[in-house]
Protein backbone atom coordinates (compact mmCIF):
# COMPACT_ATOMS: atom_id res chain seq x y z
CA UNK A 1 0.00 0.00 0.00
CA UNK A 2 1.18 3.52 -0.75
CA UNK A 3 -0.45 6.76 0.32
CA UNK A 4 -0.52 10.20 -1.35
CA UNK A 5 2.71 11.16 0.45
CA UNK A 6 4.60 8.21 -0.99
CA UNK A 7 4.69 6.36 2.34
CA UNK A 8 4.56 2.63 1.77
CA UNK A 9 3.50 -0.36 3.79
CA UNK A 10 4.29 -3.85 2.58
CA UNK A 11 2.57 -6.97 3.86
CA UNK A 12 3.63 -10.46 2.81
CA UNK A 13 1.39 -13.41 3.55
CA UNK A 14 2.20 -17.04 2.74
CA UNK A 15 -0.94 -18.92 1.72
CA UNK A 16 -2.08 -21.82 -0.36
CA UNK A 17 -2.24 -21.05 -4.08
CA UNK A 18 -5.29 -22.59 -5.66
CA UNK A 19 -5.95 -21.49 -9.23
CA UNK A 20 -9.30 -19.73 -9.54
CA UNK A 21 -12.07 -21.50 -11.37
CA UNK A 22 -13.56 -18.17 -12.46
CA UNK A 23 -10.63 -15.85 -13.23
CA UNK A 24 -12.73 -12.66 -13.62
CA UNK A 25 -14.67 -13.24 -10.40
CA UNK A 26 -11.44 -13.97 -8.48
CA UNK A 27 -9.95 -10.59 -9.40
CA UNK A 28 -13.24 -8.78 -8.73
CA UNK A 29 -13.43 -10.36 -5.26
CA UNK A 30 -9.86 -9.33 -4.42
CA UNK A 31 -10.50 -5.76 -5.67
CA UNK A 32 -13.79 -5.45 -3.80
CA UNK A 33 -12.40 -6.72 -0.48
CA UNK A 34 -9.16 -4.73 -0.57
CA UNK A 35 -10.87 -1.46 -1.51
CA UNK A 36 -13.42 -1.58 1.35
CA UNK A 37 -11.58 0.92 3.53
CA UNK A 38 -14.62 1.85 5.64
CA UNK A 39 -13.72 3.81 8.80
CA UNK A 40 -10.04 4.13 7.93
CA UNK A 41 -8.43 7.44 6.93
CA UNK A 42 -7.77 6.14 3.45
CA UNK A 43 -9.54 5.98 0.10
CA UNK A 44 -8.44 3.61 -2.63
CA UNK A 45 -7.86 5.58 -5.83
CA UNK A 46 -5.97 2.92 -7.72
CA UNK A 47 -5.33 -0.79 -7.26
CA UNK A 48 -3.15 -3.11 -9.29
CA UNK A 49 -3.64 -6.85 -8.98
CA UNK A 50 -0.45 -8.47 -10.23
CA UNK A 51 -0.21 -12.26 -10.27
CA UNK A 52 1.08 -14.92 -12.60
CA UNK A 53 -2.46 -16.28 -12.84
CA UNK A 54 -5.70 -15.59 -10.91
CA UNK A 55 -5.91 -17.50 -7.63
CA UNK A 56 -8.77 -18.18 -5.30
CA UNK A 57 -8.27 -16.12 -2.15
CA UNK A 58 -10.85 -16.50 0.62
CA UNK A 59 -12.73 -13.29 1.49
CA UNK A 60 -11.66 -13.69 5.15
CA UNK A 61 -7.97 -13.68 4.10
CA UNK A 62 -8.46 -10.59 1.92
CA UNK A 63 -10.21 -8.75 4.77
CA UNK A 64 -7.54 -9.73 7.29
CA UNK A 65 -4.75 -8.59 4.94
CA UNK A 66 -6.57 -5.30 4.25
CA UNK A 67 -6.91 -4.55 7.99
CA UNK A 68 -3.27 -5.46 8.67
CA UNK A 69 -2.12 -3.46 5.65
CA UNK A 70 -3.99 -0.36 6.77
CA UNK A 71 -2.56 -0.72 10.28
CA UNK A 72 0.94 -1.14 8.85
CA UNK A 73 0.55 1.95 6.64
CA UNK A 74 -0.70 3.99 9.61
CA UNK A 75 2.33 2.88 11.65
CA UNK A 76 4.69 3.88 8.83
CA UNK A 77 3.00 7.29 8.61
CA UNK A 78 3.46 7.80 12.36
CA UNK A 79 7.16 6.91 12.14
CA UNK A 80 7.72 9.49 9.41
CA UNK A 81 5.46 12.20 10.83
CA UNK A 82 7.28 15.45 11.50
CA UNK A 83 5.60 17.41 14.24
CA UNK A 84 5.41 21.06 13.32
CA UNK A 85 6.17 23.41 16.12
CA UNK A 86 5.18 27.01 16.25
CA UNK A 87 6.07 29.65 18.73
CA UNK A 88 4.62 32.98 19.65
CA UNK A 89 7.06 35.80 19.25
CA UNK A 90 6.38 38.63 21.72
CA UNK A 91 5.87 41.99 20.08
CA UNK A 92 5.05 45.55 21.05
CA UNK A 93 2.16 46.20 18.66
CA UNK A 94 0.01 48.99 20.11
CA UNK A 95 -3.27 47.96 21.70
CA UNK A 96 -6.24 49.82 20.18
CA UNK A 97 -7.18 51.40 23.52
CA UNK A 98 -5.01 53.33 26.00
CA UNK A 99 -7.30 52.77 29.01
CA UNK A 100 -8.96 49.55 30.12
CA UNK A 101 -11.63 49.24 32.76
CA UNK A 102 -12.53 46.23 34.93
CA UNK A 103 -14.40 44.58 32.03
CA UNK A 104 -11.04 43.73 30.40
CA UNK A 105 -10.70 41.23 33.28
CA UNK A 106 -7.04 41.89 34.03
CA UNK A 107 -6.54 39.80 37.15
CA UNK A 108 -2.79 39.12 37.38
CA UNK A 109 0.64 40.67 36.84
CA UNK A 110 1.32 38.85 33.59
CA UNK A 111 -1.88 40.17 32.01
CA UNK A 112 -1.07 43.65 33.27
CA UNK A 113 2.49 43.43 31.90
CA UNK A 114 1.12 42.30 28.53
CA UNK A 115 -1.17 45.33 28.20
CA UNK A 116 1.56 47.71 29.43
CA UNK A 117 3.95 46.33 26.81
CA UNK A 118 1.32 47.11 24.19
CA UNK A 119 0.92 50.73 25.28
CA UNK A 120 -2.07 50.69 27.64
CA UNK A 121 -1.56 53.51 30.16
CA UNK A 122 -4.42 53.09 32.62
CA UNK A 123 -5.46 49.61 33.75
CA UNK A 124 -8.29 48.94 36.17
CA UNK A 125 -8.20 45.63 38.05
CA UNK A 126 -10.71 42.87 37.27
CA UNK A 127 -14.18 43.08 38.83
CA UNK A 128 -13.54 40.34 41.40
CA UNK A 129 -10.39 42.13 42.66
CA UNK A 130 -12.14 45.42 43.34
CA UNK A 131 -13.32 46.52 46.76
CA UNK A 132 -16.06 48.85 45.49
CA UNK A 133 -18.25 47.15 42.88
CA UNK A 134 -21.57 48.89 43.42
CA UNK A 135 -23.08 50.28 40.22
CA UNK A 136 -20.74 48.28 37.97
CA UNK A 137 -21.99 46.12 35.12
CA UNK A 138 -21.77 42.47 36.08
CA UNK A 139 -22.94 41.14 32.73
CA UNK A 140 -23.95 42.34 29.27
CA UNK A 141 -26.04 40.02 27.14
CA UNK A 142 -28.27 39.68 24.11
CA UNK A 143 -30.83 37.75 26.17
CA UNK A 144 -33.36 40.40 27.19
CA UNK A 145 -35.93 39.83 29.91
CA UNK A 146 -38.20 42.55 28.50
CA UNK A 147 -38.27 40.67 25.20
CA UNK A 148 -38.75 37.30 26.93
CA UNK A 149 -41.79 38.55 28.85
CA UNK A 150 -43.32 40.40 25.90
CA UNK A 151 -42.46 43.89 27.27
CA UNK A 152 -40.18 44.91 24.40
CA UNK A 153 -41.23 47.96 22.44
CA UNK A 154 -38.09 48.07 20.30
CA UNK A 155 -37.41 51.59 21.58
CA UNK A 156 -35.08 52.84 24.28
CA UNK A 157 -36.81 52.57 27.60
CA UNK A 158 -34.91 55.20 29.60
CA UNK A 159 -38.15 56.54 31.08
CA UNK A 160 -39.72 53.09 31.67
CA UNK A 161 -40.06 51.60 35.11
CA UNK A 162 -36.74 49.95 36.10
CA UNK A 163 -36.49 46.19 36.51
CA UNK A 164 -34.46 44.44 39.20
CA UNK A 165 -33.26 40.92 40.01
CA UNK A 166 -32.22 39.72 43.43
CA UNK A 167 -30.29 36.77 44.82
CA UNK A 168 -29.54 35.83 48.44
CA UNK A 169 -26.80 38.50 48.72
CA UNK A 170 -27.29 41.21 46.11
CA UNK A 171 -29.80 43.23 44.18
CA UNK A 172 -29.18 43.92 40.48
CA UNK A 173 -30.60 46.70 38.31
CA UNK A 174 -31.34 45.86 34.66
CA UNK A 175 -30.54 48.38 31.95
CA UNK A 176 -31.67 48.03 28.37
CA UNK A 177 -29.99 49.29 25.20
CA UNK A 178 -32.70 48.63 22.64
CA UNK A 179 -30.68 50.17 19.78
CA UNK A 180 -28.27 47.21 19.90
CA UNK A 181 -30.73 44.80 21.58
CA UNK A 182 -28.68 44.29 24.75
CA UNK A 183 -29.44 44.02 28.45
CA UNK A 184 -26.91 44.93 31.18
CA UNK A 185 -27.02 43.66 34.75
CA UNK A 186 -25.59 46.16 37.28
CA UNK A 187 -24.79 45.48 40.92
CA UNK A 188 -26.90 47.79 43.14
Amino acid sequence: MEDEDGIKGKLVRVCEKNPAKNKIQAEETVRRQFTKLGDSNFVCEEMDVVWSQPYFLPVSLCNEMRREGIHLLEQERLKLYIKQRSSIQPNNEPYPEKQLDYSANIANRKAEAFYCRHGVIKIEKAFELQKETQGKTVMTMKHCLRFQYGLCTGKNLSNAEPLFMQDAKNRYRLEFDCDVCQMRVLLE
Side-chain angles (χ1 to χ4, degrees), residues 104-132:
N105 200 30
I106 301 168
N108 60 50
R109 282 179 288 198
K110 287 189 176 189
E112 191 172 344
F114 171 84
Y115 286 106
C116 286
R117 189 176 80 230
H118 292 277
V120 177
I121 298 166
K122 185 180 177 194
I123 297 174
E124 192 176 332
K125 298 238 181 257
F127 181 86
E128 58 271 14
L129 299 178
Q130 295 197 6
K131 292 180 181 164
E132 187 56 47

